[in-house]
Amino acid sequence: MMHGDTSLVDVESVVVIREKLDMNNQPIRDLFMDEENDAKMNDEIDSLSAVLDNMSIESIAMNTLSVSSDARNICDQNRGNKITKCHEGTNTDIFFVHNVDNEFGSHDGSVAIKVLNDEFFDDDQVMRLKNEYTISRYLSQCIQVRAALKEIKFCGAPGIVFEWATGTTLIEWISCFKSKHSFHNADYENPSIICKGGMNVILHLAWNISKALADIHDAGVVHNNLTTEHIIVDDNNKRKNNSITIIGLGSASFRESSNEQLHETRKDLKSLGIILFEMFTGQCPFQVNHGSASKSESGEKGEDDLLSPNQLIFALTSKVPLVLAKLILHLMEFEGSGHCYRSASDIDNELYSMITDLESIMRGCYTQRPVGQLQFAHGKLHGRDNHVLGLMGACRRIGLHGESKMILVSGYSGEGKSTVVKHVKEMLEETNVCFISGKFDQLQQAGPLPAIHAALTEYCNYIVDQGPQNILDTTKAIMKEIKSDVEVLTSVFPCLRKIVGKSTAPPTEIASMEAQNRFKFIFQTFFRTISTSSNPIILFLDNLQWADKMSLELIHLLVTDMEAPNFLFIGSYRDNEIDVAHPLAVELEELRKEMAITNIHVSSITKENVNDLISDTVGMPKQLTKSFSDLVYKKTGGNALFVIQFLRSLWDEGLLIFSLESNSWKWDIEGIRKKEIPDDVGLLMSHKILQLPAECQNAIKMLACIGSSCDTSILRMFINRGRDNDLMGKKTAKRVRRKVAEMKDGFMMLELAVDEGLLRKEGSSYTFVHDQIQN
């Protein structure tokens, strides 16, 4: 009925129990003892000894709650009696006992025995167990509370005999239901909304839980630790009316007075909201690094462990109708949710009304969109129109005599240099221009000419996507000009073998300097060949301030080659990170003596631009966002990346929140004004990374070690390699399943980083949104 590691009870344990049950041994008087009635002790010893004489002791997996067919049988089971260890918790163990003679007086002979498992149990544990027995007995008239039958001592430890509750824990039911049923409906504008059938099943179950809680409260009891692990669900093929059983009453208490009803039951109502959140969204509402909502038998989660209000809103409005999302959020009592329910009966009534009006409610979901996420406008730049026009003009003039073949985009880190160029690249996608790009990486220079290699890999993929005939035509053109020397290129850029294949003969060996000159000549010839009037080439290399000497020399060759008129080079660099002695500055000084260079400088966006960005992001008129945007501009100085990351930090901290009541964004202007932020955007993002789960931080570190961008196939190899030491030897099915689960977890952590705005998913690759995050 609960989660926990299970294992077969070994023979030695059985022998110890049986020695204690031997009628000739004195310790029998300490095994099963009713403390309230010592006079019955001998009768119970006789009956329980007879029961165990005909029982088997075995273990079952917790997700089945039924005896395993291949479990190890220790004792004779001719009479069908069984003892099964079904849960091993922090403080208690649970045993399933079925006795055909029904010595415990249960409904059908099946009981659960809950005993303290600590040899040195303390008074608090004993009092908690006694409290659970007392309140369970008091609630004997509540049919949805697990009935307590008897207090006992088991091997000297206090225990309780309960009526056996058939079914699975709610947390297991949620997982099982998700795997067996399709939640989604493609007819909805938001396809992640739960379909009507799934909604009907979950609503009925939620209604049953609220009714059970209302009965407990009406009986004068507060549960105080209601979780998805303290509710047993028995669907028994009755999908719309799953019966439930409430367990885990160790923290329960009696209400003191009706005047304090809301104060006393408030915790239970909030717990109900958390349970409903998990039922309808299928996700835990607590932070990833805090784990499950109920890790221990008496452990409780605080409000600080919950996801942020914006995350809760987005998760709910992605899955359920707005009216249900509001109900759950009101129960969870996050700030700004408005109405507060006063009793479980109120919830019971409201859920029932939703069930009866489900058809109408679901019709209203066809156009419902999830809210609570910051929606930064894709494909729209703020304050960059002149930069885009300048770049586009130069790209359209490729091939014209006298036009510059080199454009340099400079600016401070985070101002948006790369974003401007990538925006132009997107605008050229429907033209005949082949736009290829690479990026120099300060931390990763493992291979030769990495940025140029990345650009040529993109070129090869572009040619392959054009089809077999284009591959053949390109190969013929290259081989015609380069002939047998093609291996000089493919040995440095293996990606080119996708087009020209692998050479059968190695290049002629020559002296080092001659080999270098030969490589430069063949490289130059290659670009002359592939840059045609029908298919011009634009090569964009980012972060030139980190370029190696050979890459700079090759760029020099390309931009000064008068025999390649259909080629254009675009480079970006941080002008604040180079001085006159920097290799890039020296190279540019030489180039300016030979040719004209077009320079585009990208600086901070204006206060008006920041207001435009915020207005578009929150979907509100500019006049309503002006005071907010003025403060953001003051805090960030108009650095584009800083503005976006600052807004994300406000979203994370609840200073910028979506209100379901007003259906608009609200911000805490005083809280934002008091917020201290670092002067550098890198420090702001470092702080953000440190707030993520350790697993997510490790995944980001792994990606940073590989490079600024990496394909999932390569990441999979690194994840595999990291797990192989744990899986040496025979790969059992269990180990393979564990490996697959760990790999999925690794990619889930990267997806979390994408959601947090630290990574960007481009096709099958993960890319850092900025170098400062990687560094």
Side-chain angles (χ1 to χ4, degrees):
M1 289 179 294
M2 297 181 182
H3 289 296
D5 294 327
T6 59
S7 57
L8 287 174
V9 179
D10 57 26
V11 175
E12 290 80 358
S13 299
V14 176
V15 170
V16 170
I17 294 175
R18 288 196 162 275
E19 285 178 349
K20 291 187 176 184
L21 280 176
D22 191 327
M23 293 305 297
N24 296 320
N25 290 338
Q26 182 63 29
I28 186 60
R29 298 184 179 275
D30 297 322
L31 181 59
F32 285 97
M33 181 184 297
D34 185 343
E35 295 181 328
E36 296 179 353
N37 193 348
D38 292 340
K40 296 182 180 180
M41 180 183 66
N42 290 327
D43 292 338
E44 291 182 12
I45 290 173
D46 292 339
S47 62
L48 289 171
S49 180
V51 168
L52 287 183
D53 281 339
N54 291 284
M55 285 187 179
S56 64
I57 300 179
E58 50 192 33
S59 179
I60 58 174
M62 276 318 302
N63 62 342
T64 61
L65 296 178
S66 60
V67 178
S68 171
S69 60
D70 59 351
R72 192 190 325 173
N73 294 329
I74 306 300
C75 304
D76 176 59
Q77 52 177 332
N78 292 332
R79 294 174 58 189
N81 297 315
K82 296 178 181 178
I83 292 180
T84 305
K85 186 177 184 180
C86 57
H87 172 64
E88 186 174 335
T90 305
N91 300 316
T92 60
D93 290 342
I94 308 289
F95 292 88
F96 167 75
V97 178
H98 179 74
N99 170 230
V100 294
D101 295 331
N102 198 7
E103 279 85 355
F104 292 113
S106 65
H107 177 68
D108 61 357
S110 297
V111 296
I113 300 179
K114 181 176 185 178
V115 294
L116 294 178
N117 57 16
D118 190 344
E119 183 179 355
F120 304 103
F121 52 83
D122 56 33
D123 291 342
D124 288 343
Q125 293 171 332
V126 174
M127 290 303 297
R128 179 180 174 82
L129 201 66
K130 286 183 174 293
N131 183 65
E132 182 168 6
Y133 175 77
T134 300
I135 292 185
S136 296
R137 292 286 289 182
Y138 176 81
L139 294 173
S140 59
Q141 299 303 310
C142 295
I143 60 173
Q144 290 176 311
V145 174
R146 181 173 62 178
L149 304 177
K150 187 182 292 291
E151 280 188 297
I152 62 170
K153 275 198 172 181
F154 185 81
C155 297
I160 306 173
V161 179
F162 290 100
E163 186 80 47
W164 177 256
T166 303
T168 60
T169 58
L170 178 58
I171 193 170
E172 292 167 334
W173 183 91
I174 293 169
S175 176
C176 182
F177 189 78
K178 280 179 60 182
S179 66
K180 288 183 178 179
H181 302 279
S182 173
F183 269 12
H184 306 139
N185 193 328
D187 295 334
Y188 289 62
E189 188 169 320
N190 171 22
S192 62
I193 288 281
I194 301 174
C195 66
K196 180 184 173 183
M199 187 71 69
N200 199 16
V201 174
I202 305 174
L203 266 178
H204 273 88
L205 180 56
W207 180 43
N208 284 338
I209 294 171
S210 66
K211 285 192 297 182
L213 185 60
D215 288 345
I216 291 173
H217 289 174
D218 288 346
V221 172
V222 184
H223 192 291
N224 290 323
N225 193 21
L226 192 63
T227 70
T228 51
E229 291 191 348
H230 291 159
I231 299 171
I232 303 296
V233 181
D234 180 17
D235 49 27
N236 194 29
N237 297 321
K238 300 174 183 177
R239 295 182 59 194
K240 293 184 180 179
N241 293 290
N242 299 302
S243 63
I244 63 106
T245 304
I246 305 294
I247 64 173
L249 289 159
S251 299
S253 60
F254 291 102
R255 279 173 32 205
E256 296 178 5
S257 68
S258 58
N259 293 332
E260 295 182 332
Q261 181 181 5
L262 178 59
H263 170 74
E264 292 178 306
T265 61
R266 187 172 182 177
K267 184 177 181 181
D268 277 1
L269 295 181
K270 185 169 184 177
S271 296
L272 178 59
I274 291 170
I275 289 169
L276 296 185
F277 179 94
E278 191 161 355
M279 289 172 63
F280 285 100
T281 66
Q283 77 178 74
C284 177
F286 294 96
Q287 301 286 355
V288 176
N289 51 325
H290 291 294
S292 174
S294 50
K295 283 291 184 184
S296 69
E297 293 162 54
S298 59
E300 299 170 2
K301 292 289 179 182
E303 290 188 20
D304 292 342
D305 296 327
L306 281 172
L307 298 173
S308 72
N310 288 315
Q311 290 172 313
L312 297 175
I313 291 170
F314 181 76
L316 282 168
T317 55
S318 298
K319 297 286 186 181
V320 303
L322 200 57
V323 62
L324 180 56
K326 288 181 177 180
L327 179 147
I328 295 172
L329 291 167
H330 291 159
L331 279 175
M332 297 176 75
E333 291 184 4
F334 72 85
E335 188 176 352
S337 63
H339 175 71
C340 179
Y341 290 96
R342 299 189 61 83
S343 71
S345 295
D346 290 346
I347 310 302
D348 170 12
N349 294 332
E350 189 138 350
L351 289 174
Y352 179 74
S353 68
M354 290 184 191
I355 292 172
T356 57
D357 197 27
L358 186 58
E359 188 78 35
S360 173
I361 291 173
M362 295 304 295
R363 278 199 300 270
C365 292
Y366 281 102
T367 57
Q368 178 179 314
R369 292 185 179 182
V371 294
Q373 284 274 43
L374 290 175
Q375 302 293 332
F376 295 102
H378 177 71
K380 183 175 182 179
L381 301 182
H382 296 85
R384 303 301 185 208
D385 292 347
N386 292 335
H387 305 93
V388 172
L389 287 173
L391 273 173
M392 282 298 295
C395 292
R396 291 194 177 104
R397 293 192 296 271
I398 294 178
L400 296 180
H401 179 71
E403 288 297 326
S404 172
K405 294 179 62 178
M406 185 175 195
I407 301 175
L408 292 178
V409 183
S410 61
Y412 189 79
S413 172
E415 300 286 14
K417 303 179 297 296
S418 305
T419 304
V420 169
V421 179
K422 289 175 182 176
H423 184 74
V424 170
K425 181 179 181 179
E426 291 176 1
M427 295 173 69
L428 292 170
E429 283 182 353
E430 300 303 319
T431 68
N432 64 333
V433 174
C434 176
F435 196 121
I436 57 177
S437 57
K439 185 175 186 177
F440 291 102
D441 192 333
Q442 185 181 28
L443 303 179
Q444 189 237 353
Q445 298 284 351
L449 308 171
I452 296 175
H453 188 275
L456 289 179
T457 300
E458 190 174 341
Y459 171 75
C460 292
N461 293 335
Y462 170 80
I463 295 299
V464 170
D465 290 343
Q466 301 297 308
Q469 186 59 48
N470 199 45
I471 297 174
L472 182 62
D473 293 343
T474 305
T475 302
K476 285 181 179 179
I478 294 171
M479 297 305 292
K480 179 181 177 182
E481 298 297 327
I482 301 178
K483 301 182 176 64
S484 60
D485 286 332
V486 71
E487 183 64 18
V488 173
L489 277 183
T490 56
S491 61
V492 179
F493 305 118
C495 59
L496 294 176
R497 291 175 182 147
K498 286 184 178 181
I499 300 174
V500 300
K502 188 173 182 180
S503 176
T504 56
T508 305
E509 291 190 11
I510 55 178
S512 176
M513 184 58 68
E514 292 177 348
Q516 190 174 111
N517 290 334
R518 178 180 64 180
F519 172 76
K520 289 180 179 179
F521 174 76
I522 293 173
F523 180 82
Q524 186 181 49
T525 303
F526 172 78
F527 267 91
R528 285 178 186 170
T529 304
I530 65 173
S531 305
T532 65
S533 58
S534 61
N535 215 182
I537 298 290
I538 298 177
L539 172 63
F540 168 52
L541 295 181
D542 197 5
N543 286 333
L544 289 177
Q545 74 276 1
W546 295 328
D548 56 280
K549 185 174 183 295
M550 177 57 100
S551 293
L552 292 175
E553 291 177 1
L554 293 178
I555 292 169
H556 190 129
L557 275 176
L558 295 178
V559 298
T560 56
D561 186 5
M562 293 299 102
E563 296 184 39
N566 299 300
F567 171 83
L568 175 65
F569 175 79
I570 303 174
S572 68
Y573 68 99
R574 301 176 187 173
D575 53 5
N576 63 304
E577 293 188 14
I578 67 170
D579 55 23
V580 293
H582 192 281
L584 175 61
V586 173
E587 188 66 47
L588 292 179
E589 185 64 28
E590 290 297 318
L591 278 170
R592 288 190 178 99
K593 296 175 183 178
E594 302 180 43
M595 61 179 293
I597 299 176
T598 301
N599 294 286
I600 296 177
H601 184 73
V602 178
S603 58
S604 299
I605 58 178
T606 66
K607 187 182 293 186
E608 290 72 24
N609 298 147
V610 173
N611 193 27
D612 289 343
L613 187 155
I614 291 177
S615 174
D616 288 344
T617 300
V618 301
M620 297 173 65
K622 296 176 187 177
Q623 60 268 27
L624 296 181
T625 59
K626 189 177 185 308
S627 61
F628 174 38
S629 65
D630 285 350
L631 183 55
V632 172
Y633 178 82
K634 182 179 179 180
K635 292 280 188 180
T636 62
N639 181 288
L641 178 64
F642 210 165
V643 169
I644 291 173
Q645 292 300 327
F646 183 66
L647 290 175
R648 289 187 184 276
S649 72
L650 299 181
W651 185 90
D652 287 336
E653 297 170 25
L655 295 173
L656 174 60
I657 186 173
F658 190 87
S659 169
L660 287 179
E661 300 303 316
S662 63
N663 197 34
S664 63
W665 287 91
K666 295 185 178 298
W667 44 86
D668 180 356
I669 203 76
E670 286 304 315
I672 297 171
R673 186 172 285 115
K674 294 176 183 177
K675 179 177 169 62
E676 296 183 3
I677 61 172
D679 296 330
D680 185 80
V681 65
L683 294 176
L684 176 66
M685 291 187 285
S686 296
H687 176 74
K688 182 184 184 72
I689 291 172
L690 292 174
Q691 306 307 309
L692 296 174
E695 295 85 352
C696 187
Q697 294 182 43
N698 291 334
I700 293 173
K701 290 176 185 176
M702 178 184 67
L703 180 59
C705 292
I706 299 171
S708 59
S709 179
C710 189
D711 191 85
T712 53
S713 59
I714 298 175
L715 285 170
R716 191 172 289 110
M717 288 192 296
F718 276 86
I719 294 173
N720 279 340
R721 188 172 299 174
R723 307 298 185 190
D724 281 346
N725 291 336
D726 296 331
L727 299 172
M728 294 297 288
K730 184 179 178 181
K731 291 188 176 182
T732 63
K734 182 178 180 180
R735 285 175 173 173
V736 171
R737 284 195 298 270
R738 185 178 69 193
K739 187 173 182 178
V740 171
E742 288 173 341
M743 186 180 297
K744 287 181 179 178
D745 289 344
F747 283 108
M748 283 177 62
M749 291 298 101
L750 290 175
E751 290 296 333
L752 175 60
V754 172
D755 292 341
E756 293 294 327
L758 300 170
L759 301 180
R760 181 173 54 248
K761 185 78 177 292
E762 298 176 334
S764 61
S765 296
Y766 289 93
T767 305
F768 284 99
V769 298
H770 198 269
D771 308 308
Q772 292 205 33
I773 301 175
Q774 180 189 4
N775 299 342

